[in-house]
Amino acid sequence: MGSLGVDDFETVERELAAPDKGEVQVRNLWMSVDPVTRLRMNRNDDQNIAPPAFALGDVLDGGAVGEVIASRDPAFAIGDLVQSWLGWREAFNAPASSLQKLDPGGLPPQSFLGAAGATGLVGYVGLVHVGRPKDGEVIFVSSAAGAVGLMVCQMAKAMGLKVIGSAGGPDKIALLREIGVDEVIDYKAAGDLTAALTAVAPEGIDIYFDNVGGEHLEAAINAGRPSARIILCGAISAYNGSEAPSGPRNLVLMIGKQMRMEGVTLLAQLDKMAEYRSHLASWISQGKITWRETIVEGIERAPDALVRLFDGKVIGKMLVKLA
Ligand SMILES: NC(=O)c1ccc[n+]([C@@H]2O[C@H](COP(=O)([O-])OP(=O)(O)OC[C@H]3O[C@@H](n4cnc5c(N)ncnc54)[C@H](OP(=O)(O)O)[C@@H]3O)[C@@H](O)[C@H]2O)c1
């Protein structure tokens, strides 16, 4: 399919009937915009890391926070805040069992789509449960100024790691310095990525949190210390490609270095949300975690928001404000 454009989308208006018994009607307030939505447009189910691929003409879906506007289920009342997987629409009817009531507890509701939700959780589980960091180790994070990357950098700092972040362009590099990342790489200006990485980590890296794949993954394997761990969270550099990526070409190095590479997928980790949120609350109260959002308004701008995830101009979590 190649690069995504706004012309690949169609916006459709439909009348919404009253909810049936056991259903709830929700008006979405916020929706999450995620790279995985683009990945799900590739018709190769074997390569998908999350819910199934979309077929042509499907209504897209994704994380959303909304407000109950009608209810035919006793568990939900008008005005309740709810989380659902029914983003990419302004309003909907859904069975009560598919909705989660949200108690923001002082946080902005949209943060439950980002730092206090899926974005933070996948970063936490990847870093803590897959990466198993030890105090003083060196971690390399790609797309470090992205939604997941910013959270991982700050969590890793809070855990006493030396953090190296890679991002594209001076604004993102300035943000990484501002949040206390120890070493930064502007990969768009760096040239050879392995050379850039070994220049800032001559001792090598112990952990690589991979959001990007491709050259970043190769550089991390090259720079890995013995027993280094690679957390495969995403491979955004490949999502717009019309052909399968040709690398990493240096996997063989992982044998001698006894390195480990393991995928992390959010949908298998939802049971760790309470554990994550208790750490998050304490990091927030200690001033160790903040987050950034890029917000656009209106469902009609959602396609452009998804396209923009791939042009490098988005900082932090991409969100659409719907009401
Ligand atoms: N496993 C899971 O369950 C799970 C859950 C959530 C997210 N993910 C994955 O985690 C990764 C990060 O997700 P996110 O939501 O935080 O998105 P994100 O990192 O904010 O994604 C947008 C950023 O990706 C970077 N990017 C785009 N194209 C690139 C390319 N060709 N090469 C290098 N960087 C590129 C750009 O930053 P630069 O300007 O710095 O290039 C862009 O601003 C994604 O790969 C996503 O699919 C996985």
Side-chain angles (χ1 to χ4, degrees), residues 35 122 143 146-148 167-168 172 187-188 211-212 233-237 239 264-266 309 312 314 316:
V122 78
S143 197
V148 174
K172 293 184 178 183
Y187 76 94
K188 288 183 177 163
N211 288 314
V212 164
C233 177
I236 195 166
S237 70
Y239 297 176
V264 59
T265 176
L266 174 72
L309 274 184
V314 172

Side-chain angles (χ1 to χ4, degrees), residues 1 4 9 34-45 48 50-63 85-89 306:
M1 176 175 165
L4 194 64
F9 296 79
D34 299 286
V36 73
T37 305
R38 170 66 189 87
L39 182 60
R40 292 174 65 198
M41 293 173 186
N42 293 336
R43 295 297 304 160
N44 183 347
D45 296 320
N48 272 342
F54 295 115
L56 261 183
D58 276 358
V59 181
L60 300 181
D61 58 38
W85 193 249
L86 289 167
W88 291 92
R89 66 208 79 201
L306 181 59

Side-chain angles (χ1 to χ4, degrees), residues 213-294:
E215 278 181 53
H216 277 84
L217 180 51
E218 281 195 3
I221 294 170
N222 285 335
R225 276 176 171 168
S227 302
R229 289 83 74 199
I230 294 179
I231 302 144
L232 293 178
C233 177
I236 195 166
S237 70
Y239 297 176
N240 263 336
S242 38
E243 296 192 3
S246 58
R249 298 160 297 179
N250 55 351
L251 278 177
V252 70
L253 293 180
M254 292 184 65
I255 302 168
K257 298 190 201 185
Q258 298 180 74
M259 288 173 67
R260 182 163 61 81
M261 177 150 68
E262 186 175 329
V264 59
T265 176
L266 174 72
L267 295 178
Q269 304 294 343
L270 294 174
D271 61 330
K272 299 200 175 64
M273 188 62 98
E275 171 190 324
Y276 166 59
R277 285 198 181 139
S278 82
H279 286 289
L280 180 66
S282 118
W283 286 324
I284 292 173
S285 69
Q286 296 166 43
K288 291 186 170 166
I289 297 254
T290 58
W291 55 87
R292 299 290 190 286
E293 294 163 344
T294 299

